[in-house]
């Protein structure tokens, strides 16, 4: 049903919708999906997923082609592979750094990591080209198809998003996913029955790094550019907002949240006074958070079949995590 | 040498300002476990309200008072309408307060515009003071901030550790049911504490707005500063907030003086390092 | 089942929204991008006023076609400018886009322009050098001077007239101030002036006390290029720290948005020399009628329109004038329109302007000094006019390009 809809969309939507709405939602959804994996199943709310995506994006810009003289100009696919490798390593590294923290402290340390990465990129010209960053980066051609054109880019983003979705959903059903959820629900019990909690979390960080890196590469192709503004505090919080308004209990939430977020951000300026559209975004976010524990997924669940709520795994967030 | 001394003074006075903002944040989080990411908005709103009051009355001191009391009221209202229903749910508090701060920032932009505001400070604070024994001049007002921070720090410590209110707050956090059983209205105690913490942010808005200036975006900056300070120092202790503020203030200012390009990165690296080593902060209780 | 439900909603939204942009043949869609958020929000507001003024001057129509305007907002970050441009072009169907406001945004929009050959982009007020100097885009026109042009003549004025033999520089750390500082230092250093220290502060810095403490005691003056709230912060802290060096100001630091700000920080600016594409006391009729039109249309605006209102106004005016010349003909990828735009000689509030082969403006620049009027208002008083400054500051292109890309350490001033 979903796949059918995604195939039909290009026949009715114009190019702007294909790229600016659907492809962008798929990209932001992928990054939010990495947070959903960490936060929803691992109980680790990380604000630095946008930084992982950004570092992958920067790797692509630096190694690949752009209109800046710093770029090394190597093959796009090689650069993309290197970017994914960087994302994996950074994800793993962040996992090591935040391994001992829990709950609100994890939010704080990942915020600090994100801000440090932002300032580093902003201040460094030799590698990151400072405030201006890199622009003029285009998605490559494959077998004569220009991935930059709206339809191919839509297909690329949406299929990678579907793969990410399916991958994370499969992960959730695997023994690793169940163990991760167990560590979230009760760390001590999980440890007592023999799970290696630290190792599971580290693996989760690494996989999340891969997803965010994928999103980061697509984001650079989408914008044609990257600069510190791409990975500032605002975008970091946007990813959290997306994950939360969608709902963190299942992978679909990340994409649902991204879709609603992108629609709001693009069209709020038409709905209300252009200078007040942030109020509208804030209000929608506030209402969703206050009325539902599981974002839009929770609301939709209530709307369609109230009794189904019991079947979905209860989203137990960090609320009662102890800090030590 | 004179650069070193000036940089040290800059760091300490900046730390004083950070302490004023962060003390309220620390009080609210550390004692009541309420994550209030709208704390930066309190700072900015307090500054704006103080500016209006000072402009209308012609008295800077009245502006300070207005900033404190107006934001204390806002804080209490928020505690009653929002936080009391979200007790113990840190993530939702985080998200709700992010939403509130997004809305508040936009509404403040609508009300006060995007230009920067500066206070007319009392004449005695204006200009620079010759430092005795050194061939240096230093801003009078910044020295005044240092004094205010010390006074407020000591007062807070006394309230928390020596007064009956402080005893109730600490007892209420440790075991709410027990305290309620003794007939004390715990909710009222929490509302008061929240008001005090928020009011401090409003007061800092006026004091900081006078030293630097008020403009959109300051809310986020002071929120980040408070987060770093409180996390480095350890949440919930006045001493921790002070230690955190001094470390961050000095790191900011020495970083800028001796390594201008990457100074601002070091502050956050310091925070990451401390959190990795001691997740609960330097003086935080585990 | 749930997914089906979601898809239904999504499809309904798409159908509803995709149907929105419907264009009649007798309208021309304009888009404008300005920083309506962030540290430069006041400047962005001024920019939009400039666009509205130009459209109002034409009575909202050109060559019998109605002008419709959509506004996009950015926050001085290149990414948000791109997002705004995309929406204006790809969703709202803008044929002509005016903007953006700040340096690195301009570089980003130029690169975006290459991907939209059917749309014409006119710069708003962004003034980074490389936007048009190196690797320009065919459909990006800059009717505004770059930062180096803004301060033409200021280096000479500082060294010869003011007699300052060494200055320290305090400026924001991105592409536009590099350009402006280059424009100041190039002649200043050539004449023998020295620049012992350059302080590049991140955009949005609030605490300047340490920068102020680090300013060497033996400089004659401080050259300040900070915009919006950054300037106000620096000035008040410099005053409080007991600083007594005279200042020399880059154009944005003495813009009306700062001269009319509240508080006493701006007092420090009285007597400061500067150079800019505007001079408040200019008595040229084109400028004075622009000022009164602004005051009439925006009673809540600044006392005198800022440089940003003027630059957005001029770009929009250029577009409308060229449209009138070609009778609103935008066919053939706007070829006729672009040819007219390139060849235009435009009478503007800042004198006559025209474009060079890179579609970069040649314009008059005004040297002025900040004074306080009898009503207690701060204005820039015209000293003299530097006529027809081009992007290469009078050098031939080869020589000028050999100076290399502007940056933190270029020019070196040894």
């Amino acid at each position: 049903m979903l796949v059918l809809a995604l195939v039909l969309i290009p026949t009715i939507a114009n190019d702007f919708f294909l790229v600016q709405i659907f492809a962008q939602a798929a990209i932001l959804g992928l990054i939010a999906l990495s947070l959903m994996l960490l936060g929803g199943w691992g109980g680790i709310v990380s604000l630095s997923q946008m930084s992982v995506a950004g570092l992958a994006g920067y790797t692509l810009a630096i190694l690949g082609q752009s209109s800046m003289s710093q770029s090394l100009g190597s093959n796009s696919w090689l650069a993309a592979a290197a970017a994914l490798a960087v994302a994996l390593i950074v994800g793993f590294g962040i996992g090591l750094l935040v391994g001992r923290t829990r709950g609100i402290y994890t939010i704080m340390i990942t915020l600090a990591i994100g801000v440090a990465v932002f300032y580093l990129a902003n201040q460094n010209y030799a590698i990151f080209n400072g405030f201006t960053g890199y622009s003029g980066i285009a998605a490559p051609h494959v077998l004569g198809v220009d991935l930059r054109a709206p339809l191919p880019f839509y297909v690329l983003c949406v299929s990678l998003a579907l793969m990410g979705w399916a991958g994370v959903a499969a992960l959730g059903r695997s023994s690793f996913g169940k163990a991760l959820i167990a560590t979230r629900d009760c760390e001590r019990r999980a440890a007592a029955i023999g799970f290696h909690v630290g190792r599971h979390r580290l693996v989760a960080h690494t996989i999340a790094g891969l997803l965010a890196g994928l999103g980061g590469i697509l984001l650079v192709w989408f914008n044609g550019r990257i600069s510190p503004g791409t990975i500032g505090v605002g975008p970091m919080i946007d990813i959290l907002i997306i994950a939360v308004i969608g709902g963190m209990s299942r992978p679909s939430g990340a994409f649902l949240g991204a879709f609603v977020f992108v629609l709001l951000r693009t069209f709020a300026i038409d709905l209300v006074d252009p200078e007040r559209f942030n109020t509208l975004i804030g209000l929608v976010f506030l209402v969703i958070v206050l009325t539902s524990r599981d974002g839009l997924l929770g609301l939709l669940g209530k709307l369609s079949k109230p009794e189904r709520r019991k079947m979905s795994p209860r989203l137990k967030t960090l609320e009662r995590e102890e800090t030590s | 040498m004179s650069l070193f001394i000036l940089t040290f003074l800059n760091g300490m006075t900046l730390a004083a300002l950070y302490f004023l903002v962060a003390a309220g944040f620390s009080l609210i989080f550390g004692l009541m476990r309420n994550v209030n990411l709208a704390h930066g908005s309190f700072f900015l709103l307090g500054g704006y309200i103080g500016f209006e009051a000072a402009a209308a009355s012609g008295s800077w001191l009245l502006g300070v008072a207005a900033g404190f009391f107006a934001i204390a009221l806002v804080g209490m209202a928020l505690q009653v309408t929002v936080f009391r229903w979200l007790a113990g749910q840190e993530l939702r508090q985080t998200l709700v307060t992010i939403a509130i701060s997004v809305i508040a920032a936009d509404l403040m932009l609508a009300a006060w515009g995007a230009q920067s505001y500066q206070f007319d400070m009392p004449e005695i604070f204006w200009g620079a003071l010759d430092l005795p024994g050194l061939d240096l001049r230093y801003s009078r007002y910044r020295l005044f901030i240092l004094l205010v921070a010390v006074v407020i720090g000591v007062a807070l410590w006394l309230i928390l550790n020596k007064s009956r209110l402080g005893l109730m707050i600490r007892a209420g956090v440790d075991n709410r049911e027990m305290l309620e059983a003794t007939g004390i209205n715990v909710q009222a105690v929490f509302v008061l504490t929240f008001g005090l913490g928020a009011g401090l942010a409003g007061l800092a808005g006026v004091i900081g707005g006078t030293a630097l200036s008020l403009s959109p975006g300051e809310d986020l900056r002071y929120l980040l500063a408070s987060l770093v300070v409180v996390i480095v120092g350890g949440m919930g202790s006045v001493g921790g907030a002070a230690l955190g503020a001094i470390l961050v203030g000095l790191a900011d200012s020495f970083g800028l003086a001796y390594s201008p390009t990457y100074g601002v990165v070091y502050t956050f690296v310091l925070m990451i390092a401390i959190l990795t080593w001691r997740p609960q902060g330097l003086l935080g209780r585990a | 089942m749930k997914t089906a439900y979601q898809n239904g909603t999504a499809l309904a939204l798409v159908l509803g929204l995709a149907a929105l942009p419907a264009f009649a043949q007798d309208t021309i869609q304009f888009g404008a991008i300005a920083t309506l958020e962030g540290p430069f929000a006041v400047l962005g507001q001024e920019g939009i006023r400039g666009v509205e003024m130009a459209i109002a001057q034409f009575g909202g129509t050109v060559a019998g076609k109605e002008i419709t305007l959509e506004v996009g907002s950015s926050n001085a970050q290149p990414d948000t400018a791109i997002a705004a441009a995309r929406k204006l072009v790809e969703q709202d169907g803008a044929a002509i886009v005016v903007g953006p406001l700040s340096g690195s945004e301009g570089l980003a929009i130029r690169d975006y322009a290459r991907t939209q050959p059917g749309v014409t982009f006119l710069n708003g007020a962004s003034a980074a050098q490389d936007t048009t100097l190196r690797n320009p885009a065919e459909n990006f026109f800059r009717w505004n001077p770059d930062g180096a042009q803004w301060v033409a003549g200021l280096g000479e004025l500082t060294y010869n007239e003011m007699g300052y033999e060494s200055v320290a520089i305090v400026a924001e750390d991105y592409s536009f101030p590099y350009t402006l500082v280059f424009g100041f230092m190039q002649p200043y250093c050539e004449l023998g002036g020295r620049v012992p220290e350059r302080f590049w502060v991140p955009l949005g810095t609030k605490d300047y006390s340490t920068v102020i403490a680090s300013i060497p005691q033996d400089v004659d003056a401080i050259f300040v290029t900070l915009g919006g709230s950054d300037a106000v912060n620096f000035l008040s802290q410099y005053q409080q720290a007991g600083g007594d060096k005279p200042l020399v100001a880059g154009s944005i630091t003495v813009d009306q948005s700062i001269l009319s700000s509240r508080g006493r920080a701006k007092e420090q600016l009285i007597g400061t020399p500067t150079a800019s594409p505007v001079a408040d006391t200019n008595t040229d009729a084109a400028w004075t009628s622009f000022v009164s039109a602004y005051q009439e249309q925006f009673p809540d605006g600044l006392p005198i329109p800022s440089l940003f209102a003027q630059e957005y106004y001029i770009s929009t005016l250029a577009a409308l004038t060229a449209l009138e010349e070609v009778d609103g003909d935008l066919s053939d990828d706007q070829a006729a329109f672009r040819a007219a735009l390139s060849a235009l000689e435009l009478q503007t509030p800042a004198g006559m302007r025209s474009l060079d082969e890179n579609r970069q403006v040649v314009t008059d620049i005004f040297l002025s000094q900040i004074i306080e009027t009898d009503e207690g208002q701060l204005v820039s008083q015209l000293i003299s006019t530097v006529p027809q400054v081009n992007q290469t500051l009078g050098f031939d292109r080869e020589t000028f390009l050999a100076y290399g890309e502007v940056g933190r350490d270029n020019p070196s001033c040894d």
Side-chain angles (χ1 to χ4, degrees):
Chain A
M1 184 66 203
L2 175 80
V3 175
L4 183 69
L6 289 171
V7 170
L8 281 177
I9 281 170
T11 61
I12 51 165
N14 64 11
D15 286 353
F16 175 77
F17 266 85
L18 278 187
V19 176
Q20 200 66 20
I21 304 297
F22 289 103
Q24 193 184 4
I27 295 168
L28 293 178
L30 266 174
I31 304 174
L33 181 66
S34 77
L35 173 55
M36 177 270 140
L37 169 65
L38 285 175
W41 287 344
I44 311 158
V45 177
S46 163
L47 280 174
S48 54
Q49 289 311 107
M50 194 66 208
S51 316
V52 180
L55 286 171
Y58 265 111
T59 310
L60 181 75
I62 293 163
L63 296 180
Q65 288 158 347
S66 81
S67 62
M68 305 293 153
S69 55
Q70 285 92 335
S71 287
L72 300 175
S74 61
N75 176 290
S76 290
W77 296 114
L78 214 63
L84 277 185
V86 166
L88 270 178
I89 294 166
V90 173
F92 179 79
I94 291 178
L96 282 182
L97 276 178
V98 308
R100 290 182 55 201
T101 58
R102 296 291 178 268
I104 187 78
Y105 291 92
T106 310
I107 299 186
M108 298 303 165
I109 191 170
T110 50
L111 177 68
I113 291 171
V115 176
V117 170
F118 163 77
Y119 277 119
L120 182 68
N122 199 44
Q123 295 301 98
N124 181 293
Y125 272 77
I127 300 172
F128 292 97
N129 199 29
F131 185 83
T132 304
Y134 290 83
S135 60
I137 305 157
H141 291 251
V142 181
L143 306 173
V145 178
D146 181 5
L147 284 182
R148 192 175 197 170
L151 186 62
F153 190 69
Y154 165 83
V155 172
L156 174 74
C157 293
V158 167
S159 40
L160 283 177
L162 282 175
M163 280 162 62
W165 178 341
V168 172
L171 203 67
R173 289 188 295 270
S174 72
S175 58
F176 167 77
K178 295 204 171 98
L180 191 64
I181 294 171
T183 66
R184 173 199 78 190
D185 288 343
C186 183
E187 187 175 337
R188 269 186 220 138
R189 196 187 307 152
I193 57 177
F195 290 136
H196 196 303
V197 176
R199 202 171 292 162
H200 276 102
R201 292 197 162 158
L202 205 51
V203 171
H205 274 287
T206 313
I207 297 173
L210 187 71
L211 289 168
L214 207 55
I217 292 169
L218 293 175
L219 188 65
V220 170
W221 283 341
F222 168 74
N223 280 324
R225 66 181 334 283
I226 186 163
S227 65
T230 318
I231 56 170
V233 178
M236 284 160 61
I237 290 179
D238 286 347
I239 295 298
L240 179 67
I241 290 181
I242 288 171
V244 170
I245 59 177
M248 289 232 258
S249 63
R250 275 173 298 144
S252 50
F255 295 99
L256 183 59
F259 183 65
V260 170
F261 180 82
V262 168
L263 277 182
L264 261 182
R265 200 172 55 179
T266 311
F267 293 108
I269 198 164
D270 295 332
L271 296 177
V272 290
D273 178 357
E275 289 173 31
R276 291 289 78 76
F277 65 94
N278 277 325
T279 302
L280 181 68
I281 292 179
L283 278 175
V284 170
F285 181 43
L286 186 65
V287 167
I288 291 176
V289 174
L290 283 178
T291 51
S292 166
R293 277 174 166 272
D294 190 19
L296 288 171
L297 282 182
L299 285 183
L300 289 172
K302 276 184 212 170
L303 279 177
S304 55
K305 282 186 183 173
E307 72 276 17
R308 273 189 63 159
R309 278 181 75 213
K310 289 178 199 136
M311 286 162 61
S312 66
R314 188 161 62 101
L315 179 72
K316 182 161 151 192
T317 45
L318 323 156
E319 285 141 22
R320 275 182 281 128
E321 289 271 4
E322 293 301 320
T323 48
S324 68
Chain B
M1 188 59 201
S2 73
L3 176 61
F4 182 85
I5 295 170
L6 284 176
T7 308
F8 180 76
L9 280 173
N10 287 336
M12 291 304 285
T13 48
L14 188 61
L17 185 53
Y18 284 165
F19 173 77
L20 286 178
V21 195
F25 186 84
S26 175
L27 195 68
I28 291 172
F29 179 84
L31 297 175
M32 303 188 301
R33 297 271 132 189
N34 279 342
V35 186
N36 177 23
L37 294 192
H39 198 69
S41 316
F42 286 175
F43 172 92
L44 191 57
L45 184 61
Y48 281 140
I49 292 177
F51 182 89
E52 295 299 339
S57 67
S59 157
W60 182 78
L61 275 179
L62 269 180
V64 176
F68 178 85
F69 286 109
I71 302 305
L73 282 178
V74 171
M76 288 196 252
L78 208 59
Q79 211 284 335
V80 173
T81 54
V82 179
F83 281 101
R84 84 183 270 201
W85 309 109
L86 298 174
Q89 304 174 37
E90 286 179 3
L91 182 64
R92 288 184 83 200
Q93 291 174 0
T94 311
L95 300 169
V96 167
T97 51
I98 285 177
I100 291 175
S101 66
V102 169
I103 298 169
D106 207 42
L107 294 181
M108 285 191 279
L109 184 64
W112 281 281
Q115 65 269 48
S116 48
Y117 285 77
Q118 285 209 305
F119 289 84
D120 285 325
M121 61 174 78
E123 215 40 60
I124 53 162
F125 297 138
W126 186 252
L129 190 73
D130 285 306
L131 297 180
L134 299 163
D135 183 23
L136 288 175
R137 290 158 65 74
Y138 198 75
S139 158
R140 287 165 192 254
Y141 185 74
R142 287 186 78 112
L143 292 172
F144 167 73
I145 299 182
L146 195 56
L147 182 73
V148 172
V150 170
V151 169
I152 288 186
V154 170
L156 269 183
W157 187 85
L158 287 176
I159 290 175
L160 284 181
N161 292 290
K162 301 288 172 200
S163 78
R164 197 175 134 75
L165 176 66
L167 197 69
M168 287 194 293
I169 295 173
R170 282 179 293 136
V173 172
D174 287 342
N175 194 333
R176 184 176 175 143
E177 285 79 12
M178 187 71 90
L179 189 66
E180 266 168 349
T182 65
I184 291 166
N185 184 345
V186 178
Q187 174 57 22
V189 172
F190 277 23
V191 170
L192 266 184
T193 317
F194 209 100
L196 179 64
L200 278 175
L203 174 121
V206 182
I207 302 227
T210 312
L212 308 173
S213 67
L214 297 172
S215 56
E218 287 300 82
D219 42 356
L220 193 60
R221 231 170 60 81
Y222 280 94
L223 172 67
L224 271 182
S226 318
L227 285 178
V228 181
V229 161
V230 164
I231 285 164
V232 166
M235 303 217 199
S237 87
V238 178
L243 180 66
I246 290 172
L247 275 176
V248 173
L250 290 178
D252 267 12
S253 130
F254 277 94
L256 211 56
Y258 292 97
S259 170
T261 310
Y262 294 112
V264 57
V265 180
Y266 299 150
T267 312
F268 289 92
V269 172
L270 174 82
M271 172 171 165
I272 296 166
I274 288 177
L275 276 183
T276 313
W277 168 58
R278 260 185 84 83
Q280 72 276 33
L282 290 175
L283 298 183
R285 279 187 300 170
Chain C
M1 282 307 109
K2 235 176 268 179
T3 44
Y5 174 76
Q6 288 157 22
N7 293 333
T9 325
L11 286 175
L13 273 165
V14 171
L15 290 170
L17 291 165
L20 271 178
F23 305 108
Q25 282 302 312
D26 50 357
T27 64
I28 296 177
Q29 180 70 45
F30 269 59
I33 306 168
T35 52
L36 298 174
E37 307 153 62
F40 296 151
V42 168
L43 316 184
Q45 212 178 1
E46 277 286 287
I48 296 302
R49 286 181 185 145
V51 175
E52 288 172 354
M53 277 181 78
I55 294 177
Q57 190 181 320
F58 275 75
T61 57
V62 69
K65 296 187 179 186
E66 194 193 336
I67 303 294
T68 48
L69 176 69
E70 279 285 336
V71 173
S73 165
S74 75
N75 64 5
Q77 293 284 356
D79 297 71
T80 56
I82 291 293
R86 276 207 155 131
K87 169 157 184 299
L88 291 174
V89 172
E90 297 167 36
Q91 175 64 17
D92 300 330
I96 294 168
V97 175
V98 181
L101 186 129
S102 89
S104 295
E105 291 181 307
L107 290 164
I109 292 291
R110 176 202 63 186
D111 283 337
Y112 174 70
R114 282 189 233 283
T115 69
Q116 295 294 338
V119 177
T120 298
F121 293 80
L122 292 104
N123 181 58
S126 88
Q129 190 172 59
D130 275 347
T131 313
T132 51
L133 185 66
R134 291 180 180 79
N135 201 4
E138 288 300 320
N139 53 341
F140 188 90
F141 294 74
R142 185 153 67 177
W143 276 94
N144 328 98
D146 73 17
Q149 289 174 285
W150 282 16
V151 290
L154 188 58
E156 289 90 336
L157 180 78
T158 306
Y159 191 83
N160 293 332
E161 313 294 324
M162 309 301 292
Y164 302 146
E165 292 182 358
S166 67
V167 299
I169 290 176
V170 180
E172 283 147 346
D173 197 2
Y174 71 101
S175 54
F176 156 68
Y178 300 156
T179 308
L180 191 143
V181 165
F182 176 90
F184 169 78
M185 281 179 71
Q186 201 281 324
Y188 182 74
C189 296
E190 205 89 323
L191 287 168
R194 288 179 303 107
V195 178
E197 287 269 16
R198 272 172 265 190
F199 299 97
W200 297 110
V201 297
L203 199 64
T205 296
K206 295 294 161 195
D207 188 359
Y208 287 90
S209 57
T210 297
V211 170
I212 290 166
S214 310
I215 291 172
Q217 279 307 303
D218 55 356
V219 295
D220 295 328
I222 305 171
F223 180 79
V224 188
T225 300
L226 302 167
S229 52
D230 289 358
V232 177
N233 282 311
F234 173 81
L235 293 170
S236 71
Q237 289 169 44
Y238 189 63
Q239 231 171 356
Q240 281 175 39
D244 47 12
K245 299 280 180 208
L247 302 178
V248 179
S251 329
I252 47 169
T253 308
V254 289
D255 184 61
Q256 265 302 323
S257 54
I258 290 160
L259 294 182
S260 57
S261 70
R262 306 177 76 158
R264 59 202 273 190
K266 61 194 186 207
E267 288 169 15
Q268 188 85 14
L269 287 169
I270 296 171
T272 299
T274 189
S276 169
V278 294
D280 299 338
T281 66
N282 192 347
T283 51
D284 186 76
W287 168 253
T288 50
S289 63
F290 174 68
V291 173
S292 34
Y294 173 93
Q295 288 165 341
E296 195 175 315
Q297 195 170 345
F298 306 105
D300 296 336
L302 301 176
I304 301 172
S306 74
L307 137 72
F308 299 91
Q310 168 179 300
E311 294 307 321
Y312 269 78
Y313 167 78
I314 290 174
S315 294
T316 316
L317 184 71
L320 292 169
T321 311
L323 271 176
E324 197 161 52
E325 268 185 29
V326 299
D327 206 23
D329 175 16
L330 289 177
S331 60
D332 192 19
D333 269 0
Q334 310 189 352
F337 167 64
R338 283 180 197 166
L341 194 57
S342 303
L344 210 57
E345 297 267 335
L346 193 64
Q347 174 65 47
T348 75
M352 289 304 289
R353 284 189 177 182
S354 57
L355 295 185
D356 69 10
E357 73 264 31
N358 280 7
R359 295 160 297 285
Q360 166 66 32
V361 84
V362 179
T363 180
D364 291 351
I365 292 295
F366 306 104
L367 292 170
S368 59
Q369 195 162 18
I370 306 308
I371 57 156
E372 188 169 12
T373 63
D374 298 337
E375 296 90 56
Q377 195 185 343
L378 295 191
V379 295
S380 54
Q381 186 177 41
L382 181 63
I383 300 173
S384 62
T385 304
V386 187
Q388 298 299 298
V389 178
N390 66 7
Q391 188 172 29
T392 56
L393 307 175
F395 295 94
D396 66 69
R397 199 163 280 274
E398 287 292 299
T399 318
F400 192 74
L401 285 172
Y403 282 112
E405 287 179 31
V406 297
R408 283 178 182 149
D409 304 316
N410 183 27
S412 64
C413 202
D414 289 327

